[in-house]
Amino acid sequence: GAAERRLVAVTMADAEEKKEDAPKKETAKELMARAMKGVNVKEMPTVSGIEKKEDFAALAKTQIPEAELLAKNGELTKAMELLLALEKKCRLGLDIATLKTTVTSMVTICHDVGDWEKLNVVMAIISKRHQQSKHAVTAMVALATEWLEETPDKATKVALLTALLEVTDGKIYVEAERSVLTRKLAGIKEADGDIEGACACMLDVYVETFGALSKREKIDFILEQIRLTLAKKDWVRAYITAKKVNRKHLGEDDMQDLKLRFFGLLIEYHLQEKDAFELAQDYHSIYQTKCVLEDESAEPTGWRHNLKSCVTFLLMAKHSPGQSDMLHRLVLDDKLDRLDADLAPWKHMLTQFTTTEIVRYPLEDQEPLNGQLKMVGTEALWEHWQTMGHTRTTQHNLRVAAKYYKRIQTARLGNLLGLSTDEVEEHLSTLVGGGDLFAKIDRPAGIVSFQKPVTSEETLSDWASDVASLLTLVERTCHLINKENMIHKI
């Protein structure tokens, strides 16, 4: 035991000696102080934004005029090689001011000489240079964009636009310029009759992700996309593109013109889809626009035309909670309550379809309704809207009949609605199939039953409710009897 204790003591002593002999670790503060010893802090380079390491302004003043002289003498290639070498020095030396001057001088020389093809090549080379400054690219694109109207022919203009689009592709700092260039190229293609090319060009730009554009510029660009997709008759793509527009932004006062354009394009789409309820909502949105409400004329720009169109398509729409709610809201509109002979028929039609009464077809105000349909429903769809008007009136009448009758003879129902037996059965089948109405037709007996059969669970629930009501009445009666006994001390 004693020997073991001595061994442990010796081992611990050796460990302490080694710890003392080991070099002491320096702290971060001590290391920094030792590293900065003898260094003049004032002379150290600092990084604050873009700092110049070298100044090539003097060299540029001599080489740019020399390149201009070479270009005038027909040696444009040598001039570009000279300036490209200068551009490299400025770029690596972070001399941004001289770099911008050099780059703009290169494209200006190509423009002054009239070599548009060389201009496109030079712009591509400059934009692809390693660690190219965004300031240089932005200045170059802005300068070249100004020359679009100076091109000698359309082919040159298209080539310059294409080159500029390649330069701006994927660069966040020239998003606004790219959107303008894209619209110009699409306009040229559309003028040449290439609708598909113009549409593809516009849809290639996802302007909703651009941060450099304002809300107004984004919406304006998207509306142009929608217009071209409609012109191309790509209805699905038009619907998807229209979803990109935030309708809350359209409600702002400075967006009224864009709002009218947007819903005008939606009307064109929904006419193609024959969606009467959506058409009614489109016209109602236009009707609620401030500038439209201030226009008292009967022209398409005024509120009268848009209110009439809204009512027209609302009557053609399939019955639904949304359609019914909109009917009841419109019938309370203050503008329809005016003592105006022009609006009286529309107020009357809304009143008819919001009350549980059978409406005769043709309507009493069928003539103004047909006139408005011819104006806004397009001639190609005239027969469709006529059929739809008769169908919606008949369906309204069947819903009214279902409220007043449990069972009725098919012939009698046809007589009330002005329809044949076959037509009654056809319209009933449509409503029942759509889940809008419950009905059963006994064809041999010629009877229609609107009474929904009661299940055994519903019957038991009714009985339980009746028994509970009876027991409540008995209990209340006993309470009143006891009360009378107490009062009269019987």
Side-chain angles (χ1 to χ4, degrees), residues 315-316 353 357-363 366 369 387-400 417:
L315 298 179
M316 303 291 157
F353 280 86
E357 295 179 4
I358 288 178
V359 179
R360 294 293 176 187
Y361 189 87
L363 304 176
Q366 189 70 38
L369 182 65
T387 306
M388 198 54 60
H390 189 196
T391 301
R392 298 308 180 209
T393 306
T394 302
Q395 290 177 348
H396 166 79
N397 292 337
L398 285 172
R399 286 192 296 273
V400 171
L417 305 184

Side-chain angles (χ1 to χ4, degrees), residues 102-170:
T102 306
V103 168
T104 53
S105 298
M106 290 173 69
V107 293
T108 303
I109 289 171
C110 294
H111 168 260
D112 294 342
V113 172
D115 193 340
W116 297 95
E117 186 176 350
K118 189 71 173 178
L119 172 63
N120 297 339
V121 173
V122 168
M123 286 195 299
I125 292 172
I126 292 171
S127 66
K128 292 177 182 177
R129 285 291 177 106
H130 181 60
Q131 291 183 341
Q132 186 59 273
S133 169
K134 66 179 181 180
H135 302 282
V137 175
T138 304
M140 178 182 69
V141 170
L143 188 59
T145 304
E146 296 175 2
W147 298 330
L148 284 169
E149 303 305 323
E150 301 177 20
T151 50
D153 51 44
K154 188 184 290 183
T156 306
K157 186 175 183 179
V158 171
L160 180 57
L161 274 169
T162 305
L164 284 169
L165 286 171
E166 289 177 0
V167 169
T168 57
D169 186 24

